[in-house]
Amino acid sequence: MHWDHYWNFTGALSSFGDAELEFGYPDEILEFWSDLVLSEKNCNYLDLATGKGALAIWLQNRVDNLGLCGKVYGCDLANINKDKITSKNPSINESIKKVTFDFNTPLESLPYPDNTFDVIVSQFGFEYSDWSNSLPEAIRVLTENGKISLMLHTNESVITKDCKAGIKVLKWLIEERVFEDLANIVSFKASNHSLKYEESNTNLIKKIQAYSIGSQDEQVWYNDIISKISKIMININTNSHNHLESLKNSVFQQITRLEDQVSVAFSKAEIIDNINKVGINLSVLEVKEFYVDDSLFSLVLNIEV
Ligand SMILES: C[S@@+](CC[C@H](N)C(=O)[O-])C[C@H]1O[C@@H](n2cnc3c(N)ncnc32)[C@H](O)[C@@H]1O
């Protein structure tokens, strides 16, 4: 699964992977989740599709700091090595040790007893599951007065627009056979075919410059990938074919991940339809827009039985 590859590769705790931020998420998101921490002691929390656990760890940290003695669990389908979940911050590391992680665990079949969790959350994770099985499972493990709050990707969000821009740029590279051109350039240089090298180098630069950038998001994706390609072009050596191969693999993995993300970015109406199709009576079913810096970031789905 491409998520196994992703989590194995990133050192970040969240799929946002913003290395500047301890949990990888902007403060607005963490503030949103802080309202979900109950004031009662000894509550159980579950983070569905936790990835490397950013939200679960943050909740545990908050519960501990408030002296509430609550317990946080996080589960995910990906095969993640728990030992690789670490932070430079000692207080966060303490929280990491306290969270119970269950990996290789599908949301469609949760390994927890009925009525276990007072609060169930998910940050860009639940939408990837098969709702007809994962929603009944979440409700099964929820306590009688428990709450489910899920932050979900949506079709008009800044994140989805950014994903679409990334897919466009990366697919263009594949369609234009940029990696094949680059492999030839590396081979010509290595075998001292100077003329062929110069000619193919010039052609590739022209090809790259001919890309018509449609938006600011595309510009960012374009700059990022072209800087990686340029590094290989500028410094051709005996490792260049390996660097090229790993760059190409990571581009393919990225396209799959971005397409996966776009495919689960639903509208409000689709979310309500998905829930209604499951056919469970709910006392609360609420879908709200969530904005960061005045831009639509996600939808929040609140459920109570
Ligand atoms: C975008 S990541 C979000 C991870 C984490 N919540 C975060 O905020 O960093 C989506 C996660 O969903 C997980 N996932 C996808 N389908 C799943 C399923 N059916 N059951 C459990 N986890 C799943 C993936 O392994 C991945 O870690």
Side-chain angles (χ1 to χ4, degrees):
M1 179 167 88
H2 64 90
W3 285 112
D4 293 347
H5 175 269
Y6 177 82
W7 292 118
N8 190 33
F9 181 74
T10 181
L13 293 179
S14 84
S15 57
F16 251 47
D18 189 334
E20 305 282 306
L21 305 165
E22 279 181 329
F23 290 95
Y25 283 110
D27 287 347
E28 289 89 335
I29 297 189
L30 298 179
E31 271 161 34
F32 166 82
W33 290 116
S34 69
D35 291 344
L36 267 287
V37 175
L38 302 174
S39 50
E40 296 104 273
K41 288 205 164 198
N42 299 318
C43 288
N44 285 329
Y45 298 82
L46 173 63
D47 179 22
L48 298 171
T50 191
K52 270 194 174 171
L55 177 55
I57 298 162
W58 185 85
L59 284 173
Q60 185 70 63
N61 199 259
R62 180 129 186 118
V63 163
D64 293 347
N65 289 341
L66 293 170
L68 292 169
C69 315
K71 173 90 189 106
V72 183
Y73 292 71
C75 63
D76 197 286
L77 184 58
N79 181 19
I80 297 171
N81 181 348
K82 287 179 200 177
D83 298 338
K84 288 200 172 167
I85 303 179
T86 54
S87 164
K88 286 179 193 144
N89 179 329
S91 145
I92 297 178
N93 264 333
E94 280 311 303
S95 304
I96 291 174
K97 280 186 216 151
K98 288 186 183 171
V99 173
T100 299
F101 285 111
D102 293 293
F103 294 123
N104 300 298
T105 299
L107 300 192
E108 295 80 358
S109 172
L110 296 174
Y112 311 111
D114 299 359
N115 302 312
T116 304
F117 299 102
D118 305 286
V119 176
I120 296 182
V121 297
S122 183
Q123 174 76 56
F124 297 149
F126 181 83
E127 56 269 57
Y128 291 89
S129 65
D130 166 7
W131 297 29
S132 61
N133 291 312
S134 54
L135 185 62
E137 271 299 81
I139 288 171
R140 178 184 66 75
V141 300
L142 189 69
T143 55
E144 208 174 308
N145 297 314
K147 288 179 179 183
I148 299 179
S149 189
L150 313 169
M151 204 177 268
L152 306 173
H153 284 302
T154 186
N155 52 348
E156 293 298 326
S157 73
V158 277
I159 303 174
T160 303
K161 285 180 187 158
D162 181 58
C163 285
K164 287 181 180 168
I167 293 169
K168 189 173 162 221
V169 171
L170 299 180
K171 281 199 157 176
W172 166 81
L173 284 183
I174 307 295
E175 280 155 20
E176 287 294 325
R177 302 181 63 80
V178 167
F179 290 111
E180 285 78 355
D181 290 349
L182 198 44
N184 286 336
I185 290 171
V186 170
S187 298
F188 291 144
K189 175 92 173 180
S191 56
N192 290 323
H193 282 87
S194 307
L195 272 179
K196 281 185 173 173
Y197 164 74
E198 294 293 346
E199 191 187 349
S200 49
N201 209 35
T202 308
N203 287 341
L204 182 55
I205 291 169
K206 276 189 197 155
K207 191 184 266 187
I208 287 171
Q209 287 173 341
Y211 180 78
S212 155
I213 297 168
S215 67
Q216 245 186 336
D217 285 339
E218 267 179 53
Q219 179 83 64
V220 174
W221 281 97
Y222 176 87
N223 290 351
D224 179 66
I225 190 66
I226 298 307
S227 85
K228 287 172 182 155
I229 287 174
S230 304
K231 266 187 200 156
I232 296 180
M233 286 173 84
I234 290 165
N235 182 25
I236 294 178
N237 57 41
T238 48
N239 278 326
S240 294
H241 276 299
N242 290 341
H243 290 153
L244 184 53
E245 204 48 35
S246 77
L247 181 61
K248 190 173 157 187
N249 283 341
S250 92
V251 164
F252 276 107
Q253 295 278 354
Q254 234 172 338
I255 293 174
T256 315
R257 188 166 62 81
L258 295 171
E259 287 185 331
D260 207 6
Q261 197 159 313
V262 170
S263 76
V264 296
F266 301 117
S267 67
K268 243 185 204 184
E270 284 170 326
I271 290 174
I272 292 173
D273 195 41
N274 284 350
I275 300 281
N276 286 336
K277 271 189 207 149
V278 182
I280 296 176
N281 281 334
L282 301 168
S283 65
V284 174
L285 169 56
E286 186 180 65
V287 186
K288 288 187 193 168
E289 287 168 347
F290 184 83
Y291 288 83
V292 171
D293 294 336
D294 296 328
S295 300
L296 180 64
F297 183 80
S298 65
L299 292 176
V300 172
L301 169 61
N302 291 320
I303 291 175
E304 287 175 43
V305 184

